[in-house]
Structures are given as C-alpha cells and as structure tokens.
Amino acid sequence: MSYYQGKRVLITGAGSGIGALMAEQLGRRGAEVIVTARRRKPAEDVARRVQAAGGRGHARLLDVSDLDSIAPFRDQLHAEIGEIDILVNNAGVVFGGEFEQVALSEHLNTLQINTLGLIAMSHAFMDDLRNAPQGHLVNIASASAYIGLPFGSTYAASKWAVLGFSESLRLELKERAINNVSVTTVCPSYISTGMFDGVRNPILSPMLTPEKVVKSILRGVKHRQALVVEPPLVRGIDLLKGALPGPIWDEVAKRSGISTSMRHWQGK
C-alpha cells in the first residue's frame, strides 16, 4: 500500500506548476487531494486529473495573500470535507528586476504570499496536523534561501524567512514532544515551470524539471526528511559561503552565475 493511500492533502497554489503535478502524483498514490488556486478553472482541471489518476480530488478557491480569508476557508473545508493530514504550502510568486525599478506593491505582494500566507496557513491548520496519526507540513522554499539573489532580492528574502520559520517550527515541535507532526522544507534551484523564464542557470545547476522536484518531495515526505534540496550540491553553498572571505565569495558567486542568474528574468 502506498504511504499516501487515504491521506487527505491540501495543496496551495496547485492550479499549475509543481503544485498541479504533485496533486496528480498524489492521486496516483491513492490520496485525497484538495487543490486550491486563485482561479476556479485551473483548480477544477487539476482536481479532475487527480480523479483520473485514481485519487479523490476537490477544487477550492483560495488566495493566501488574503490572510483574513484563511480561517473561514479552513472552517468551511472542515464542514464540507474534514480535517487534513498533510498541508503543502506551495503558493508563491516571483518578481525580478533592479530593486527600485520593481513596484513596491510587487515586493510586498511577494512577502505577503510567499511568507505571511504560508505562516497563516500553517497556523490555521496546525491543529489538523496534530490530530492526524501522521501529520505533515511541507513548505516550499528555494535554493535562494541560502544565498543573496541580486535582481530577486524580495523573493530571496521571502524564502530565507520560510526556511527559518520551518526549521524553527520543526525544532519546536520536537521540543514539545509532538512526534506525530513532521516538517519538511523544500529548497530547489530554478524549475522549468515558466516562473523563471529568462534566468541563466548557475554553473553545475541545470534547470530542474517539475517531475524531478515532485519525485524528491514525495520521497522526502515519506521518509520524514527535514530538508529536500535539489540539486544536492545546493547543500554545499552554505558551507562554501561560510568558509570563504566575503570578497572571495562574492567573486565566486559572480563567476559561477549565482549572483547574475536573475538579471534577465522574464517569468510570469
């Protein structure tokens, strides 16, 4: 029997990209998936794909940037479907460009969705996860949670915050002996979903496929891993950055393409 058989999974931002693919793959594994998106049709299309794959799919409208809507959404979900076992905080946006040339509203929207919405969702559904035999919180961060990202400063800031929040909460749950709830933070490099069109990948870090990332996430959740990092060499960035003097690291980041990768971002 699949690890995910019969588990109820809520995925934010699942109308496209890795959220949609994860929903479908969970359906293949017998899960019940609640697909949320800001638009109805994408959510319904993905829910149908979940059903066609053999799972149970539900489509719901949810905009995690509207923090006041999250608790009423949870209450309605409980009334209509029930409590969840797994929460995947996948909703996210990215804006690239020279810092002061990007509208302030876009900087703030990045933080609102990527960080505050994620924290609000985690808070709203923590009791669900605690009530589940095997509750799991999955937070999608980024490889940029480890480094500075010129031309994507607010995106990187939002993901640094996600990594710090997730790791702190994981350790807190451990200290409180809440052993049935796991926290997995996902830190991938650039993924070919359209969000990062125009970026130039750093050396030794090819554009990831959604299929590879989703496979790693599902495996990591199954094995209760604290971190899922793709590609694995990203794990070494923090050590290298800490070991080198600042000016030398800056030059390494430039020459390897890390600090220039977002310069030509044209994503959506």
Side-chain angles (χ1 to χ4, degrees):
M1 179 184 294
S2 166
Y3 171 81
Y4 296 98
Q5 182 73 40
K7 285 186 167 58
R8 186 174 291 141
V9 186
L10 169 60
I11 308 176
T12 66
S16 62
I18 65 169
L21 182 59
M22 195 184 317
E24 185 177 353
Q25 290 298 319
L26 286 165
R28 294 185 187 282
R29 290 161 173 78
E32 181 178 6
V33 186
I34 300 143
V35 178
T36 75
R38 289 189 288 182
R39 294 181 293 129
R40 185 175 302 280
K41 188 177 185 304
E44 291 177 342
D45 289 345
V46 175
R48 282 192 289 269
R49 284 161 50 188
V50 171
Q51 294 163 2
R56 297 177 62 191
H58 310 274
R60 293 292 185 274
L61 292 178
L62 175 64
D63 180 356
V64 300
S65 70
D66 183 359
L67 303 183
D68 291 336
S69 73
I70 290 175
F73 168 83
R74 175 204 57 206
D75 295 343
Q76 185 174 2
L77 189 72
H78 286 169
E80 295 175 350
I81 299 175
E83 295 190 355
I84 64 171
D85 301 288
I86 300 173
L87 170 61
V88 182
N89 280 313
N90 171 71
V93 295
V94 57
F95 295 100
E98 297 176 348
F99 173 73
E100 72 278 11
Q101 300 302 319
V102 176
L104 178 60
S105 61
E106 293 181 340
H107 286 303
L108 298 181
N109 193 42
T110 299
L111 294 169
Q112 185 82 355
I113 293 173
N114 295 4
T115 306
L116 298 184
L118 179 147
I119 292 171
M121 286 292 295
S122 302
H123 189 273
F125 285 95
M126 184 53 65
D127 284 345
D128 285 33
L129 305 185
R130 292 188 62 183
N131 291 337
Q134 291 178 305
H136 212 117
L137 176 63
V138 184
N139 290 331
I140 308 299
S142 166
S144 66
Y146 291 96
I147 56 173
L149 188 66
F151 308 100
S153 55
T154 316
Y155 179 76
S158 72
K159 297 304 186 177
W160 281 41
V162 169
L163 181 58
F165 165 70
S166 303
E167 183 65 1
S168 299
L169 181 58
R170 184 186 69 82
L171 292 170
E172 178 184 323
L173 293 172
K174 187 175 181 180
E175 286 296 314
R176 293 165 59 191
I178 302 175
N179 299 317
N180 65 307
V181 179
S182 301
V183 179
T184 295
T185 313
V186 183
C187 295
S189 186
Y190 295 120
I191 309 172
S192 57
T193 59
M195 285 183 67
F196 297 104
D197 287 349
V199 303
R200 297 179 180 176
N201 291 78
I203 297 171
L204 302 178
S205 181
M207 186 71 75
L208 297 168
T209 66
E211 291 78 10
K212 180 176 178 58
V213 174
V214 168
K215 182 178 180 181
S216 295
I217 294 171
L218 296 182
R219 182 174 61 244
V221 171
K222 178 179 178 180
H223 295 289
R224 303 180 70 183
Q225 293 178 5
L227 278 171
V228 171
V229 180
E230 287 289 349
L233 65 84
V234 169
R235 290 177 178 270
I237 289 177
D238 215 26
L239 292 174
L240 183 62
K241 178 182 171 185
L244 294 175
I248 295 178
W249 164 252
D250 289 348
E251 189 65 22
V252 168
K254 181 177 180 179
R255 289 181 179 272
S256 66
I258 292 174
S259 61
T260 58
S261 59
M262 281 286 288
R263 181 184 287 273
H264 301 288
W265 174 83
Q266 297 174 351
K268 57 185 178 181

